[in-house]
Amino acid sequence: TLFLSHPYRLNPTGQIEQLLRFSREDLINHYQKLIAPDRIVLTIVGDVDGEKILRELQSKLYSWRGNSASFPLPAAENEIPGIRTERKISRTRQAHLVLGFPAPAKGEPDHFTMKVVETILSRIGGRLFIELRDKQGLAYAVSAFSMDDPFQGAFGIYAATDPTATDKMREGILGEIRRLQEEEVSFQELERAKNYLIGNYLIARQTNASKAADITFNELFGFGSDFGQQYQAGIKKVSSADILKFARTYLPLDRYVLTILGP
């Protein structure tokens, strides 16, 4: 619902009619365009003999030939004209509500601010949990989330609530966004969010497999293999003024998408 023209509006698994039309030749042709030497990033992490591994790889891969095709990137959708609402009926007893906005893609300077905003709003002890669940009793669950995507960004707030309370929940969420737009976060709240993000980032990348995956992704999409250091530095630089600016720029109260799934 958030995207009108971007491919992310589509179901990533496709449709039955499309899948049935694929031939073996279609798949081979696409594979050859996609999997080619000039599109590959190879990452090796661990206590290994680098020279030996390179010799082995050269002996196995030296004959690999192929030219990849270029895949044009779709334009990002960074604006929506007003409020768009989508409601679907389900047999669940709860109503599941998501309020979403276009937002900075990964690699853009404001992406670091978005991650701090997400953390301030989320988790047990976050603003959404305290205000909407503990104090007002509106939510069974509530949290903020964002898309860590190099091509298209999005920011959203999810809540599970009683079906009779969806309007109150929406107003409660908009109230917390308005608070971000009007009041600077405290130094303590800001530092807690930064420390949480950086600590989680380092913990999630303790294994060789997770390090290799992170380096490969960052290299593939042009962020560089040192993006881990850039990420930590970017998070540390976020100020309370940056958060005010982000909320006013990217979280307009008159332009968002609201989806509701419930009875």
Side-chain angles (χ1 to χ4, degrees), residues 215-242:
I215 292 171
T216 301
F217 180 90
N218 292 329
E219 191 67 22
L220 270 174
F221 293 107
F223 302 133
S225 58
D226 64 341
F227 183 76
Q229 288 73 35
Q230 297 176 42
Y231 175 85
Q232 295 173 63
I235 294 296
K236 289 177 181 178
K237 287 180 182 178
V238 173
S239 68
S240 56
D242 292 330

Side-chain angles (χ1 to χ4, degrees), residues 1-166:
T1 304
L2 186 62
F3 305 119
L4 294 179
S5 58
H6 197 282
Y8 288 174
R9 74 189 188 281
L10 304 172
N11 185 336
T13 59
Q15 297 177 332
I16 293 176
E17 299 79 17
Q18 295 170 324
L19 295 175
L20 292 177
R21 285 201 303 265
F22 289 149
S23 67
R24 180 175 183 274
E25 290 70 24
D26 291 332
L27 298 178
I28 291 174
N29 289 336
H30 186 69
Y31 174 86
Q32 290 173 343
K33 293 176 183 178
L34 190 66
I35 309 298
D38 57 343
R39 291 175 57 83
I40 296 296
V41 169
L42 173 66
T43 306
I44 301 171
V45 175
D47 184 12
V48 296
D49 184 335
E51 292 296 328
K52 180 179 179 181
I53 287 179
L54 285 176
R55 286 195 301 270
E56 288 290 330
L57 288 171
Q58 286 168 351
S59 69
K60 304 288 186 184
L61 303 177
Y62 79 97
S63 61
W64 188 13
R65 300 289 185 269
N67 295 313
S68 64
S70 62
F71 294 89
L73 298 178
E77 287 190 49
N78 296 321
E79 294 283 344
I80 57 175
I83 298 172
R84 293 208 296 269
T85 302
E86 178 75 20
R87 184 185 291 268
K88 290 190 176 181
I89 303 300
S90 75
R91 295 181 180 178
T92 58
R93 294 184 178 180
Q94 299 177 1
H96 300 270
L97 177 151
V98 175
L99 197 146
F101 305 84
K106 181 176 178 178
E108 296 179 14
D110 288 338
H111 184 263
F112 301 117
T113 305
M114 178 172 68
K115 300 307 293 183
V116 177
V117 170
E118 178 187 342
T119 305
I120 288 171
L121 292 175
S122 296
R123 302 172 296 111
I124 295 176
R127 289 188 176 190
L128 293 170
F129 190 93
I130 291 174
E131 294 297 327
L132 302 181
R133 189 180 186 279
D134 282 0
K135 292 184 178 179
Q136 299 184 43
L138 290 174
Y140 302 120
V142 61
S143 63
F145 63 93
S146 62
M147 242 174 30
D148 287 334
D149 188 283
F151 305 128
Q152 174 69 58
F155 181 86
I157 295 173
Y158 161 80
T161 187
D162 187 275
T164 63
T166 54

